[in-house]
Amino acid sequence: MEKNQLVELTIKDQSQDGRGIASCDGLIVFAEGCVVGDRVSARLTKIKKRYALARVEEFLESSEYRLDDVCPYIDECGGCSFGKLKYEKQLELKERHVRDVLERIGGIESPELEPIISMSEPYFYRNKARLAIYPKTRSVGFLGRMSHKVIDCHECRLQSEPVVAVADALRDSFDECEDAKKIKNLVVKTSFTSGEVMVVPTVEEKDVDLESFIYTVDDRINAIPGFDDGFEYYLSSVALDVSDNKPSKQHLNRAEIIAGRHVIEDEMLGLRFEISPYSFYQVNPVQAEHLYEKAVEYAGIKGGETVLDLYCGVGTIGLFMARAGAGKVIGIELVKEAVLNANRNAVINGIVNAIYYTGKAEEELPKLREEGKIEKADVVILDPPRKGCDEVLLKAVVDTEADRIVYISCNPATMSRDIKYLVEKGYEYVKGTPVDMFPHTGHVECIALIQRVKS
């Protein structure tokens, strides 16, 4: 095989970023724009020791799994990497991916996996968007596939209606509000139960006048037709995020409320939650309910257990554990705003046996153990970011001698790595369930039950 050679490929799999995967002369070949089942003629553009890249020249046979009705921006936007693939096949690939990493990275032979939890209507499910902006071309949307180009998206099949309304408002404001051009990116949070919308523009300087932009956002959201049951969206909060262009983390709490409330409220499985600008809250509330129901099931709460909720966000999982009968819930979260939300959420839901601490879980858990605030835990909930858990934290978790660990992850690969560590320290993988939290993308959530081996 050599560069510029024309080869015939049959696509057998897809990568997380949506590229088709085929095999040719013993080499893995990645081809852009293909789906599983396509047969194509492609020209090799780059050849490495272990893989090659190819550009499709001609579709010889179209896959039965290919979708015809797709988003008009799908070839440019980096959002829906699986968007050209029928939903049933997406689910099959994601379930296979979870099983593969559990075996290959986790070292688990024939892992028990429950069927992936799918969505009945896998569109318009996101309650949060981060809009990219390029004022020179009046572009408001999302970054392009594997690029920093801003794709000007006037619709999105994953986002809620208020996101499109806010994007339209910003385009309108480029002419009417000079300081609107200073907005670097824009976060929109939406509650699907209260109808509240929070808008968080990021700027480089605090002294900006966004009054006319805010009024335009309000008008655009109010123009969204109401639902038959009387539900309506409305602008509830605007928080200004001031960035000085230096590397920073959201937990530095740079946001200042410049209009409306400090939080928006959402309801899930009968509990109410307040959410601040930087607080983590699952982006797909419909699937989050299924995920949290499965977490309570895996935790096996009988009554009176001590539960550690690590990377707890606004306290969702721990509060569901408390409602199920846990005797005590202790949560740890890095983002101070989220911890304030979590403690407040315990109060507004009448839960008095949950307490939340601010700090890095890998630092705070050993500290709390040294201070005698945590001795032994019965259940540990792990819900880390994509990079997974620090080994120092995993060691501290093992030291609690918890009988059960419920691990929730948006990155099955790092979850599998962490499970391997826990297995080496006296635990066993029991079972897991993939949850399709992000339809039409290559990402998948997974929840696993890990149990201490009785000596």
Side-chain angles (χ1 to χ4, degrees):
M1 293 175 66
E2 57 186 31
K3 188 175 179 180
N4 292 322
Q5 180 180 340
L6 203 60
V7 295
E8 187 176 307
L9 303 173
T10 299
I11 306 302
K12 300 292 187 182
D13 202 350
Q14 281 181 243
S15 63
Q16 195 174 78
D17 60 12
R19 289 180 294 178
I21 302 175
S23 179
C24 185
D25 290 345
L27 201 64
I28 297 295
V29 181
F30 295 92
E32 190 77 37
C34 306
V35 302
V36 171
D38 281 339
R39 191 166 62 85
V40 301
S41 175
R43 193 171 302 280
L44 299 176
T45 58
K46 183 180 290 187
I47 299 178
K48 296 289 187 178
K49 187 176 181 180
R50 296 184 179 179
Y51 70 92
L53 303 181
R55 181 182 64 250
V56 174
E57 297 283 325
E58 181 184 0
F59 282 88
L60 304 176
E61 184 179 344
S62 187
S63 170
E64 62 179 307
Y65 306 117
R66 177 177 283 276
L67 270 179
D68 295 323
D69 180 26
V70 294
C71 170
Y73 307 103
I74 195 164
D75 290 325
E76 296 181 279
C77 177
C80 298
S81 54
F82 278 20
K84 292 183 178 180
L85 193 63
K86 288 183 178 178
Y87 187 53
E88 294 74 16
K89 197 64 178 179
Q90 293 181 33
L91 297 172
E92 181 186 319
L93 291 187
K94 291 180 181 185
E95 193 170 304
R96 184 200 305 170
H97 169 65
V98 172
R99 186 179 301 278
D100 172 65
V101 294
L102 283 170
E103 291 178 344
R104 181 169 46 86
I105 300 175
I108 304 165
E109 187 175 344
S110 302
E112 181 180 339
L113 266 189
E114 299 185 73
I116 187 169
I117 299 175
S118 62
M119 289 195 77
S120 57
E121 300 198 13
Y123 292 98
F124 309 108
Y125 59 82
R126 289 187 63 96
N127 60 18
K128 178 184 175 182
R130 182 178 294 275
L131 295 170
I133 301 161
Y134 191 60
K136 287 184 180 179
T137 57
R138 304 174 63 87
S139 298
V140 183
F142 304 98
L143 294 179
R145 191 180 299 276
M146 293 184 285
S147 81
H148 293 290
K149 180 183 177 182
V150 177
I151 308 303
D152 189 34
C153 299
H154 289 259
E155 64 175 277
C156 178
R157 300 186 183 186
L158 304 190
Q159 300 291 347
S160 64
E161 291 174 291
V163 171
V164 177
V166 172
D168 287 339
L170 183 55
R171 292 187 193 94
D172 293 344
S173 299
F174 284 146
D175 292 332
E176 304 166 5
C177 177
E178 189 65 27
D179 280 359
K181 297 175 184 177
K182 297 179 180 179
I183 299 175
K184 300 302 178 186
N185 60 65
L186 194 59
V187 170
V188 183
K189 290 188 171 187
T190 307
S191 169
F192 293 167
T193 58
S194 70
E196 291 177 283
V197 179
M198 174 183 282
V199 176
V200 188
T202 297
V203 294
E204 292 180 1
E205 55 188 49
K206 186 176 179 179
D207 188 22
V208 291
D209 181 5
L210 299 179
E211 183 176 358
S212 65
F213 164 65
I214 294 171
Y215 279 122
T216 305
V217 169
D218 192 43
D219 289 342
R220 282 283 189 170
I221 293 176
N222 288 338
I224 298 172
F227 292 74
D228 293 339
D229 60 1
F231 178 86
E232 291 182 331
Y233 290 113
Y234 65 97
L235 181 62
S236 172
S237 174
V238 181
L240 191 65
D241 175 35
V242 181
S243 166
D244 56 8
N245 265 343
K246 295 179 181 178
S248 59
K249 300 292 183 183
Q250 289 189 345
H251 67 268
L252 293 180
N253 300 318
R254 300 169 306 196
E256 176 186 336
I257 303 298
I258 58 175
R261 304 183 64 207
H262 285 71
V263 296
I264 59 173
E265 290 188 24
D266 197 45
E267 185 174 319
M268 190 181 296
L269 296 172
L271 294 184
R272 290 165 51 211
F273 297 99
E274 293 185 346
I275 308 157
S276 297
Y278 294 141
S279 299
F280 172 77
Y281 192 74
Q282 290 286 359
V283 299
N284 185 335
V286 173
Q287 291 297 82
E289 292 194 343
H290 298 307
L291 177 69
Y292 294 156
E293 287 173 331
K294 184 63 67 173
V296 172
E297 175 193 328
Y298 279 8
I301 301 295
K302 299 286 193 296
E305 292 89 349
T306 295
V307 177
L308 300 186
D309 185 6
L310 308 181
Y311 308 97
C312 64
V314 298
T316 46
I317 306 175
L319 296 181
F320 288 126
M321 297 293 169
R323 189 178 66 176
K328 185 177 185 180
V329 174
I330 301 171
I332 301 175
E333 166 63 43
L334 179 61
V335 180
K336 184 178 180 181
E337 271 188 333
V339 175
L340 294 172
N341 292 154
N343 282 304
R344 168 70 179 157
N345 289 334
V347 171
I348 64 178
N349 287 291
I351 294 172
V352 298
N353 58 341
I355 186 168
Y356 295 92
Y357 295 93
T358 304
K360 292 183 177 180
E362 60 268 25
E363 296 175 0
E364 201 66 22
L365 179 55
K367 177 183 169 186
L368 291 173
R369 282 180 53 76
E370 287 175 11
E371 294 173 351
K373 295 178 180 177
I374 300 174
E375 293 182 5
K376 184 184 182 299
D378 300 295
V379 179
V380 174
I381 310 297
L382 294 173
D383 190 5
R386 290 188 60 78
K387 67 177 183 178
C389 295
D390 190 288
E391 192 171 303
V392 174
L393 174 64
L394 293 176
K395 181 182 183 304
V397 168
V398 170
D399 289 343
T400 67
E401 300 181 341
D403 293 324
R404 289 182 171 223
I405 298 171
V406 179
Y407 198 127
I408 297 171
S409 175
C410 59
N411 187 344
T414 56
M415 180 191 74
S416 299
R417 177 203 67 202
D418 293 346
I419 289 175
K420 184 175 182 179
Y421 175 91
L422 292 168
V423 168
E424 292 170 351
K425 300 300 179 182
Y427 284 81
E428 63 178 349
Y429 168 88
V430 179
K431 57 184 174 180
T433 304
V435 181
D436 192 27
M437 195 73 73
F438 318 102
H440 308 294
T441 78
H443 300 290
V444 61
E445 194 92 357
C446 189
I447 180 170
L449 171 60
I450 304 139
Q451 196 161 284
R452 188 161 64 96
V453 178
K454 304 291 186 181
S455 57

